[in-house]
Amino acid sequence: MEPQTSELRGRLEREVVKLRRSGVIPPSLEAKMTQAVNELKPRLRFDSTKDRLFNVEATSYIDTAVPTDSKRPGVTYVKRAIKAGVGWYLTYVTQQVNNFTFETVGLLNALELRLSEQELRLAKIAPQVSLGHTSGQFPANILAEQAVRAQLLDRQNEQPILVTDAGGDRLLAELTALLPDLVYGQIEDSDLADRSAKEGLDVRNSSLLWHLEHCADGALGALVLRGTELECSPVWFKRGVLAETRRALAADGVAVLIHHEPSALASSPELSATAAIRGEPISVAAWAILADEAGFSSSTETIDVDTAVTRLQR
């Protein structure tokens, strides 16, 4: 069964690639189809919160009407005597416990319902975007892009290359021309993704972290990590991207990170507003610490006072 499943999946993937390149499936439509599939996934599993609350409610009632019958002579009368002697007290205590349990489970059910409603709303609003769209972009740096191209062309493997935040400049198009059929991009904005696809570029309309989480282990030969979604984000998001990058990167692969010092925000009011909402960029030294935490060996090339390019290897 497994070989047949793999063969079928391979045929489907080849057909999707063919349709994507022909323009029949725009990136935004693919993202919406993914959202629709995710919404159809069953939310209730055996160990789900709702199931567990049902089990708690079903087993929480305490009954003081314990059985007193016995096959042994005289034991039945002894049990009934004990029950009659302490029954008044046990009934009083268990009534309080049952009332408390009933109210507690009712409160938990109400909270579970409200949380489920919020999850459904979030799924419809942004099923795969972790932090929402950016409103500004760091200015393109020609020297940084040249450094990236040089490091990517120095690779030895023939596995796919991912260019993140690929809708703001010509880097994806230039790399595609140099390495056809190997390079594809990730774009968070649906309009930019569709526009890039119409130009003949292979792109995915998704959040950076969401896309990396859905890449197979060792599937990527190289990555270009950059963009406001990455830089203007909380530290937990940056850590998640680096961890998923290391997992998805081939053993001999390389990731190239284009990043900026926080002082670069001064060049754009939109960037400053984005950073205030989503999280500010971190320094080159801080990126080095995060890269070390993720298990990368890194080397950084300073492009100018604000921009740096860091090479990450496993």
Side-chain angles (χ1 to χ4, degrees), residues 82-117:
I82 295 174
K83 179 181 178 181
V86 300
W88 63 272
Y89 180 74
L90 289 177
T91 301
Y92 175 74
V93 172
T94 53
Q95 184 180 8
Q96 294 182 74
V97 173
N98 287 335
N99 289 340
F100 175 78
T101 304
F102 176 80
E103 294 297 334
T104 301
V105 173
L107 176 61
L108 291 175
N109 274 317
L111 290 174
E112 197 275 336
L113 179 61
R114 295 186 64 180
L115 287 174
S116 297
E117 289 177 350

Side-chain angles (χ1 to χ4, degrees), residues 156-266:
Q156 299 299 319
N157 62 46
E158 294 295 321
Q159 290 179 278
I161 300 173
L162 169 61
V163 179
T164 70
D165 195 43
D169 53 38
R170 301 299 303 172
L171 181 60
L172 176 62
E174 293 171 2
L175 289 174
T176 300
L178 293 170
L179 300 166
D181 299 327
L182 282 181
V183 181
Y184 74 100
Q186 168 270 328
I187 303 176
E188 191 183 17
D189 185 270
S190 299
D191 293 334
L192 283 177
D194 287 347
R195 196 180 311 158
S196 298
K198 289 179 180 178
E199 295 175 1
L201 301 175
D202 186 7
V203 297
R204 308 292 186 274
N205 180 205
S206 68
S207 164
L208 169 57
L209 184 55
W210 185 91
H211 180 75
L212 289 175
E213 288 173 344
H214 289 77
C215 289
D217 295 355
L220 300 175
L223 291 92
V224 180
L225 296 172
R226 60 172 187 169
T228 48
E229 182 189 10
L230 175 62
E231 293 201 68
C232 293
S233 62
V235 173
W236 67 262
F237 186 88
K238 295 178 172 70
R239 280 196 170 105
V241 167
L242 289 176
E244 292 299 325
T245 294
R246 192 177 190 282
R247 181 192 58 77
L249 194 64
D252 58 346
V254 59
V256 185
L257 170 66
I258 303 177
H259 50 113
H260 301 79
E261 291 285 0
S263 56
L265 292 175

Side-chain angles (χ1 to χ4, degrees), residues 3-314:
Q4 294 178 357
T5 303
S6 300
E7 181 183 353
L8 177 60
R9 180 169 182 173
R11 288 170 57 189
L12 289 172
E13 288 178 349
R14 288 191 294 272
E15 186 65 22
V16 169
V17 170
K18 178 182 176 181
L19 292 172
R20 186 187 290 136
R21 290 178 176 173
S22 68
V24 175
I25 303 181
S28 60
L29 175 60
E30 190 174 352
K32 290 176 181 177
M33 292 169 65
T34 301
Q35 174 185 349
V37 171
N38 288 337
E39 288 181 351
L40 291 174
K41 289 181 179 178
R43 288 184 170 80
L44 288 180
R45 302 183 307 276
F46 179 74
D47 60 347
S48 69
T49 305
K50 190 171 184 178
D51 289 334
R52 289 185 172 229
L53 285 174
F54 177 80
N55 292 335
V56 169
E57 189 171 13
T59 59
S60 62
Y61 181 77
I62 300 175
D63 189 2
T64 58
V66 295
T68 57
D69 293 337
S70 176
K71 293 182 180 180
R72 297 180 181 181
V75 175
T76 298
Y77 297 102
V78 174
K79 287 184 176 181
R80 289 177 180 175
I82 295 174
K83 179 181 178 181
V86 300
W88 63 272
Y89 180 74
L90 289 177
T91 301
Y92 175 74
V93 172
T94 53
Q95 184 180 8
Q96 294 182 74
V97 173
N98 287 335
N99 289 340
F100 175 78
T101 304
F102 176 80
E103 294 297 334
T104 301
V105 173
L107 176 61
L108 291 175
N109 274 317
L111 290 174
E112 197 275 336
L113 179 61
R114 295 186 64 180
L115 287 174
S116 297
E117 289 177 350
Q118 294 302 321
E119 288 176 354
L120 288 173
R121 291 178 183 177
L122 286 174
K124 292 178 180 178
I125 294 171
Q128 60 199 32
V129 179
S130 301
L131 298 167
H133 294 297
T134 54
S135 58
Q137 290 183 324
F138 286 97
N141 189 304
I142 296 176
L143 294 177
E145 293 175 3
Q146 289 175 350
V148 168
R149 283 194 294 271
Q151 298 201 39
L152 293 185
L153 294 175
D154 188 38
R155 299 175 324 109
Q156 299 299 319
N157 62 46
E158 294 295 321
Q159 290 179 278
I161 300 173
L162 169 61
V163 179
T164 70
D165 195 43
D169 53 38
R170 301 299 303 172
L171 181 60
L172 176 62
E174 293 171 2
L175 289 174
T176 300
L178 293 170
L179 300 166
D181 299 327
L182 282 181
V183 181
Y184 74 100
Q186 168 270 328
I187 303 176
E188 191 183 17
D189 185 270
S190 299
D191 293 334
L192 283 177
D194 287 347
R195 196 180 311 158
S196 298
K198 289 179 180 178
E199 295 175 1
L201 301 175
D202 186 7
V203 297
R204 308 292 186 274
N205 180 205
S206 68
S207 164
L208 169 57
L209 184 55
W210 185 91
H211 180 75
L212 289 175
E213 288 173 344
H214 289 77
C215 289
D217 295 355
L220 300 175
L223 291 92
V224 180
L225 296 172
R226 60 172 187 169
T228 48
E229 182 189 10
L230 175 62
E231 293 201 68
C232 293
S233 62
V235 173
W236 67 262
F237 186 88
K238 295 178 172 70
R239 280 196 170 105
V241 167
L242 289 176
E244 292 299 325
T245 294
R246 192 177 190 282
R247 181 192 58 77
L249 194 64
D252 58 346
V254 59
V256 185
L257 170 66
I258 303 177
H259 50 113
H260 301 79
E261 291 285 0
S263 56
L265 292 175
S267 63
S268 168
E270 286 186 346
L271 279 176
S272 299
T274 301
I277 296 171
R278 297 177 59 164
E280 292 193 11
I282 58 176
S283 66
V284 172
W287 272 115
I289 293 173
L290 293 184
D292 183 66
E293 284 182 0
F296 283 110
S297 61
S298 62
S299 58
T300 300
E301 176 184 353
T302 301
I303 303 301
D304 56 35
V305 66
D306 290 325
T307 311
V309 173
T310 297
R311 181 186 180 94
L312 303 170
Q313 287 185 290
R314 297 179 62 176

